Amino acid sequence: MVTLALPFRRLARALSVLDWVRVGLLAAGLGFVATGLLPADDAEASVRRIAPMLVFLFSVIVLAELTKEAGVFDLIAERVARAGRGGYGALFFLCVAFASLTTVFLNLDTTAVLLTPVMLALAARTGIAALPLAMTTVWLANTASLLLPVSNLTNLLASDRVALETPAFAERMWAPQLASLAITMVMLWVFYWRRGERGADRYEPPSPTPIHDPVLFGATALACLVFIGAVLAGAETGWEIAIASSIAAVIAVAAFAVRERSHLRPALIPWQLLVFVTGLFLVVPTLSRFGLDTVMRGLVGVDDGTGGAFRAVFSGAGLSNVLNNLPAYVAGESVVHPDNHDQLLALLIGTNVGPVITPWGSLATLLWFEWCRRRGVTVPMRRFVLTGVALAVLGCAASTAALLLTG
């Protein structure tokens, strides 16, 4: 009995509080199915819907993790800092571009999980204050995730609901994305990057470092380009995007299998994300059957005009910061009329741009907080919340106005 108990004790110590919340969420969802609170047919439909997203999430995180191990992100961050030549103005625009492009093409969780430690390490090497770089990654992980379906799991859900393929989705969301980026840049500069906040006039550009393994570097860079190329070439459905990311991940894994097999370890598998997302898509439909739909219908309304769009965006943003953006989107989507495309896209804006107020507003923000804790970066909570409120309100309003004006 003691022998059997030891592995469970080790497992309990290995899991963080957040890990236990994820496991508990999945257990609750499975319990709802087992007890009939969520009918088996509804559960099957929900899991079938997210299956390509889970494949995408698994493969893109593996791809991004191996790309980081090969030094691609580190080299880009170093080149960004050197290109700034010690000037904070130039560095600011370069960091915004780096974080935005990572979010747009490799998913917001990649920015939170992989770009955050790279930027914090860069801050330590160059004497740059860590908080401005950290806030740039977490804010842009959320607010730069509007343009493409692959940028955010909520986008994949919305593009499927409104039947917008990747080019059409980008055509509809480019104006809201630009508005969101503009507001984010202003808020970042005012609250974190200006001279009075960052505490220095110039920084010391880092010296160049050699690439550890040019073959791995080239292979993983190529894998990323394959995935990005597939998206730009018109990978449209959830499964097409999942297949593209899987092919790219296979290229990266094959390169590491030949050159650095020790890096292919179980820790690469993003089981926490897979468990969390699956649990959410079992728990939220259950809650919708027992009152959540009624609450969301009262908040969102049925109007597809200007009033309905603004109700949807701020309802989505508010619920995201209370619960989390994924269940907020799913709950809101279930009560939006299928023909109310502007209202649904406004809800999407709220659940993408809005969850920057609380640490649990989005999974990306949760992951970002964990990395800051590991790196010893202090995030003043009062400041985080108050500046997040300003960004959420202005960003959601500007992005929704851009959506309506270009509709």
Side-chain angles (χ1 to χ4, degrees):
M1 184 70 71
V2 174
T3 304
L4 289 174
L6 285 175
F8 291 102
R9 289 176 183 171
R10 293 194 189 102
L11 177 63
R13 286 195 295 267
L15 296 180
S16 67
V17 174
L18 186 56
D19 290 337
W20 280 111
V21 170
R22 292 165 178 146
V23 172
L25 189 69
L26 178 60
L30 294 174
F32 292 151
V33 177
T35 58
L37 292 174
L38 180 65
D41 289 345
D42 290 355
E44 182 183 352
S46 187
V47 171
R48 191 185 305 116
R49 185 184 184 194
I50 65 168
M53 298 171 210
L54 294 177
V55 174
F56 161 73
L57 190 62
F58 172 87
S59 56
V60 82
I61 291 296
V62 170
L63 169 65
E65 180 68 40
L66 292 178
T67 301
K68 174 181 175 293
E69 291 293 334
V72 175
F73 284 179
D74 292 284
L75 181 69
I76 295 172
E78 177 190 293
R79 294 290 174 84
V80 164
R82 291 176 62 198
R85 299 183 177 182
Y88 274 97
L91 180 67
F92 170 72
F93 285 102
L94 290 167
C95 285
V96 166
F98 184 19
S100 298
L101 290 173
T102 303
T103 300
V104 167
F105 291 108
L106 288 176
N107 187 271
L108 78 164
D109 295 318
T110 296
T111 301
V113 174
L114 302 180
L115 189 56
T116 299
V118 168
M119 298 297 271
L120 293 180
L122 180 67
R125 286 177 57 196
T126 57
I128 299 170
L131 191 59
L133 289 174
M135 292 304 300
T136 300
T137 59
V138 71
W139 275 7
L140 288 168
N142 290 286
T143 64
S145 66
L146 289 172
L147 186 62
L148 298 178
V150 298
S151 307
N152 200 324
L153 288 178
T154 52
N155 295 5
L156 288 171
L157 295 172
S159 63
D160 178 62
R161 172 71 180 271
V162 298
L164 288 177
E165 299 171 351
T166 297
F169 188 91
E171 183 179 353
R172 194 70 186 87
M173 298 302 288
W174 69 266
Q177 181 64 91
L178 286 181
S180 174
L181 286 177
I183 294 296
T184 304
M185 290 174 69
V186 171
M187 297 291 102
L188 278 171
W189 185 263
V190 170
F191 292 133
Y192 294 100
W193 277 83
R194 62 187 172 88
R195 175 63 177 83
E197 299 296 335
R198 67 177 183 257
D201 288 320
R202 296 184 64 79
Y203 67 93
E204 186 65 31
S207 56
T209 54
I211 297 171
H212 171 65
D213 188 324
V215 174
L216 283 180
F217 183 94
T220 53
L222 174 64
C224 289
L225 291 175
V226 166
F227 173 62
I228 293 170
V231 172
L232 295 178
E236 297 161 354
T237 67
W239 278 116
E240 287 176 347
I241 293 169
I243 291 170
S245 62
S246 297
I247 291 172
V250 167
I251 294 173
V253 168
F256 271 85
V258 173
R259 306 285 295 187
E260 293 274 359
R261 187 168 297 181
S262 62
H263 287 284
L264 301 179
R265 54 194 184 278
L268 275 177
I269 300 172
W271 68 266
Q272 296 98 328
L273 294 178
L274 303 179
V275 165
F276 180 75
V277 173
T278 305
L280 278 177
F281 278 81
L282 295 175
V283 169
V284 173
T286 307
L287 296 179
S288 295
R289 289 170 51 83
F290 292 95
L292 184 58
D293 267 3
T294 303
V295 173
M296 284 306 297
R297 191 171 290 108
L299 291 173
V300 174
V302 296
D303 178 22
D304 196 35
T306 301
F310 278 97
R311 284 182 66 173
V313 71
F314 287 113
S315 296
L319 191 61
S320 293
N321 286 293
V322 172
L323 297 176
N324 178 271
N325 69 325
L326 267 176
Y329 174 80
V330 174
E333 183 197 67
S334 67
V335 301
V336 173
H337 192 278
D339 295 331
N340 290 6
H341 289 183
D342 282 350
Q343 190 180 29
L344 184 72
L345 293 176
L347 173 70
L348 178 67
I349 291 170
T351 56
N352 284 21
V353 178
V356 291
I357 300 172
T358 60
W360 56 85
S362 72
L363 187 58
T365 308
L366 277 171
L367 296 169
W368 175 84
F369 262 102
E370 176 63 19
W371 267 116
C372 288
R373 185 190 65 79
R374 290 185 188 183
R375 294 282 181 169
V377 176
T378 301
V379 181
M381 190 52 59
R382 183 171 179 272
R383 186 179 180 189
F384 180 86
V385 170
L386 292 178
T387 57
V389 169
L391 175 60
V393 172
L394 295 177
C396 286
S399 300
T400 304
L403 174 76
L404 296 174
L405 289 171
T406 57

